[in-house]
Every structure is written in structure tokens, then in C-alpha cells.
Amino acid sequence: MKLSFCVNNRPVQLETDPDRRLLDILREDLSLTGTKEGCAEGECGACTVLLDGEAVHSCLTLAIQLGGRHVVTIEGLSETGELDVLQKAFVEEIAVQCGFCTTGMIMSAKALLLKNPAPTKEEIRVALSGNICRCSGYVQIVRAVDRAAHELREVAYGKPDAKNTG
Amino acid sequence: MESLTPKTLDELTEALAQATSGSRIIAGGTDLVIQMQRGQTEPDLLIYPGQIPELRTILLQKDKLHVGAMVTMQELTAALQSIPEFCAISDAASGVGTPQIRSKATIVGNLCNASPAGDMLPIGKLYDLKLKIVSKDGTMSLIPIDQFILGPRKNALQIGQAVVGLTINRKRWVGYVSAFRKIGFREYVSIAREGMGALVKRLPDGMIQDARLTLGAVATTPIRIPEAEVLMAGRVLDENLLREVAAITARTIHNNCRPANRLYKTEAAQGLVADLFDLLRKRT
């Protein structure tokens, strides 16, 4: 099938099989290897990307579902060469150990912050409930997302707020 | 593998005319893709109806609710969570899988997949929902949930047919409050070991006028608990009623589930009913 869709704000046209996974299109056809393959059956969240702004598993998304849609991968967050606020927060909070789950975590967090700029700690945990980390633990990860949310709000409103007490 | 991505209902019927027994319709794909990856199904033709606007629509009217076949769990949760008679639907939809699953998985796909553990099966039975089905000759028909779910992973769709949406008679449930709870191995990301839905209509003094209860993940298809429903009428949602309903629910589960699961599922019924009553009380 002929597939036309958008990846990281760029139009992409491919001749591909309708049952080719988005994960394989990204990693093998477009060389966007930041998206990781973990369990390959929608359990671990390592392959999470944004599809029209929503977090989805790229391992469970097929080419036939992609026509006309917009995919954002981890590479799309730092296209200007500067890290996204979320990426910086993960570094600052040392929310990374082996790093394999990190891109999926960040994309799930991105989907959350796009919809909810002031999440509680509980809302962060729910948003990340589909992402499994088996080495660093979740404390620093939740803290990093919370930090990014605060920093984004400071940029937007110019002052810290007291809402987010989780 | 051939593929078709119809953009209108007419194009969908044209696509269905090409379908064989090996063809599959893909909605969110959260079940089908796994089956395909495992080699459990190898479709000759894959039809994706996600670009048909009518299938992405939620229509909430005074007398009915219509949900298109491509509406996701997440969209459904957001649309219905503040409507008392439909809270059970958002409870169930918001508990399916993970955020990544809920942003793609559809209520109609969950029903079509007909897994005994599917959270939308007891919901379907709770509301007597009907599925709107289109055939390859363009005719539309409505099939009640009981005639649609035939058994584990078996639905009534025939070759050349597709579900385009579902409809619930809202008028029937105005004035009711509703809730759904499930028990799994953990709070999030869990597949139901037991799920229970409730619709309750109360008078201003709290007395129950009418109640309906359904159980999922117990038998191969969802079941009602008529004995408890009758018992609840004329009572209030107090601890005595909770104990009696829990006992009947436990007995119903005992009589309907596989022997291997009987002990655990019967015991768990107590907590499930208590959780459900909690939710119903909060939603007065």
C-alpha cells in the first residue's frame, strides 16, 4: 500500500505492507531508532510514540491505520537541537538508568502534559501506568515529569503555583 | 495481504463485498495486531474503517446514546464520565489496559473480540445495548447484545458484515445512577478476573425503585443477577443489603464460573460488591 503520513512535522510517503508495524517503519525505514522495542505486545510501553497527540504503542499500530495522521517520536522533541523540557528534567532528576524505557516514558509524559499542564502526582502515575521500568524505579521518573510540568508552567505563566501538591 | 481504507459508509460496503472468511476489520488493533503477530490469524484482506467520519462520532441525545465503531475508550470516558446513568461505561472504559491502549482500543472492538474477560461485555448487557451492523448489500440492522455475543471470541457477524456503532436507549435509564468495578491482579493495567456493573434508580429518600446487576469474566458470556436485582427493590444501599447482595453474587459466581476459578472468584465477590456499593452511594 501507499502510505502518506507525517512524522515529526515532516510529510512521509512510503510503499509498504498494510500490516507493517509503525515501530518497524520508524526504526528500519526512517532510521528513527530512539523508539525502542520491548515486549512487542503492548505491555511494556517502551515503543510509545504520539499519534495525533495521544500516546500509543508503535508495536500495535499498523501502516493501514496511519494514513493522514501525525506521529511524533522522541527525536521530534529535540528537533531544534535543544532538549525538550521533559528530557532535561529526566537528566536533572537522574530518572534514567539503563535508558531503554526512557523514550517511552517521556512520550507518555508528553501526551499527559499536552492535555494537562498541571497534573497531580497521581495523574502522572496513571499516565505512566503503561510504561514499565525495571531498573531505576519510578520515584525519580514521577519527580522528573512533575518538575517538567512546573517548569513549563513557569515559562507559560511566569511564576510558580501551589496547586501541584500531589 | 490486500488492504482497504474506506472513507465513506458506501465505500465500506464495497469493501465488505470483497471480504472472505479470512478477512478482518481492524479498529484500534490492540487485540488483532497481537493475534496477527502470533500467527493466530493471517488475514487475506484487512479493512480499516477509521477514516469514516460517522464511525468516530459520539451522539448523546435525550432519548439515546450512539457510539461509532471507531470511538476509543479514552474518548468514551471523557464524554460520559459526568452523566450518572452512563458512569458505568466510563468506569469500565477508563480501566481498560493502559493509556496507550485506551487511546486506540474501541468499545465496539472489545465487543467484537468477545473475550469473556472483556470489560465492555457486562456493560453491554447492563444497558441492553444494540449493535448497528452494515452488510455488503448496504442494509443496516440492529442486533441486541445477547444475540451478538455467542461465546468466547465468537460474535454473530457474518462474512461481509461490519459493526458501525452501538446504540443505547437512554430514555430507559434516565434517573438511574450507574457504576462498574473490576478485580484484577493489580489496580492498573489489569485484565478483569471479575467485573460487575450496576444501574440503580432511587427515590429521593434513598429507597431503591429498580436495580440491574451484571457480571463479566465469570461465565463465557456476561450474566445478570436477577435474584439480587429483585431483592434490592424497596431497600436502601446499606450494609445489610450489601451483605445479602454479596452473598447472592458469590453464589451466582460459584454456579457459573469454571471450577478452577471458583474459590477465588467467589471470595472476591464480597469486595467487588462493597466497592460497587461505595461508588453508587457517592453518586447519589
Side-chain angles (χ1 to χ4, degrees), chain B residues 2-260:
Chain B
E2 296 297 315
S3 66
L4 290 166
T5 50
K7 292 178 179 60
T8 64
L9 283 170
D10 284 344
E11 286 182 14
L12 176 60
T13 56
E14 285 164 23
L16 290 170
Q18 297 180 41
T20 71
S21 60
S23 306
R24 299 296 297 265
I25 298 161
I26 181 168
T30 52
D31 286 309
L32 182 63
V33 174
I34 294 173
Q35 292 164 18
M36 288 167 66
Q37 297 293 330
R38 289 176 179 166
Q40 292 164 346
T41 178
E42 291 175 22
D44 57 354
L45 167 66
L46 205 55
I47 300 172
Y48 176 65
Q51 297 185 22
I52 304 171
E54 291 94 326
L55 269 58
R56 305 207 77 101
T57 311
I58 301 173
L59 196 62
L60 182 66
Q61 294 173 316
K62 274 187 180 164
D63 57 345
K64 70 172 181 187
L65 168 68
H66 170 84
V67 180
M70 293 301 299
V71 170
T72 65
M73 298 289 180
Q74 182 186 296
E75 290 163 344
L76 201 61
T77 303
L80 301 180
Q81 62 192 356
S82 59
I83 299 166
E85 65 266 34
F86 293 138
C87 278
I89 304 178
S90 58
D91 288 342
S94 65
V96 170
T98 61
Q100 293 97 318
I101 296 287
R102 293 193 288 275
S103 60
K104 287 178 73 209
T106 63
I107 176 169
V108 166
N110 195 257
L111 292 170
C112 289
N113 200 42
S115 159
D119 290 326
M120 289 302 158
L121 276 67
I123 289 296
K125 194 168 180 71
L126 188 66
Y127 291 93
D128 291 330
L129 73 72
K130 290 182 177 153
L131 293 111
K132 195 173 179 185
I133 290 169
V134 66
S135 297
K136 59 186 174 186
D137 61 4
T139 56
M140 292 274 186
S141 54
L142 280 176
I143 297 190
I145 182 84
D146 285 341
Q147 291 166 34
F148 183 78
I149 308 287
L150 301 180
R153 301 201 176 271
K154 281 200 191 93
N155 66 43
L157 277 184
Q158 292 171 359
I159 299 166
Q161 289 188 324
V163 181
V164 291
L166 59 86
T167 171
I168 292 175
N169 177 3
R170 188 180 182 193
K171 231 174 6 187
R172 167 76 179 83
W173 306 114
V174 166
Y176 284 69
V177 291
S178 64
F180 175 87
R181 286 287 296 193
K182 70 173 172 182
I183 290 176
F185 289 127
R186 49 183 170 152
E187 190 170 354
Y188 298 122
V189 200
S190 75
I191 290 169
R193 315 307 295 181
E194 197 164 274
M196 190 168 176
L199 271 162
V200 173
K201 187 173 194 177
R202 274 174 293 183
L203 296 167
D205 63 0
M207 187 191 282
I208 296 166
Q209 255 191 321
D210 185 40
R212 179 177 283 204
L213 301 170
T214 56
L215 283 168
V218 169
T220 52
T221 56
I223 51 176
R224 277 178 61 180
I225 320 175
E227 195 186 334
E229 293 172 6
V230 171
L231 177 82
M232 288 171 78
R235 302 276 298 271
V236 291
L237 284 171
D238 60 12
E239 291 306 301
N240 287 333
L241 184 65
L242 196 164
R243 266 193 298 278
E244 291 169 58
V245 170
I248 295 169
T249 304
R251 196 160 65 238
T252 306
I253 291 168
H254 183 273
N255 293 339
N256 282 281
C257 80
R258 291 199 332 225

Side-chain angles (χ1 to χ4, degrees), chain A residues 2-17:
Chain A
K2 186 175 271 182
L3 171 63
S4 297
F5 70 130
C6 200
V7 178
N8 299 334
N9 293 313
R10 289 191 190 84
V12 174
Q13 288 202 328
L14 287 170
E15 187 62 41
T16 189
D17 293 325

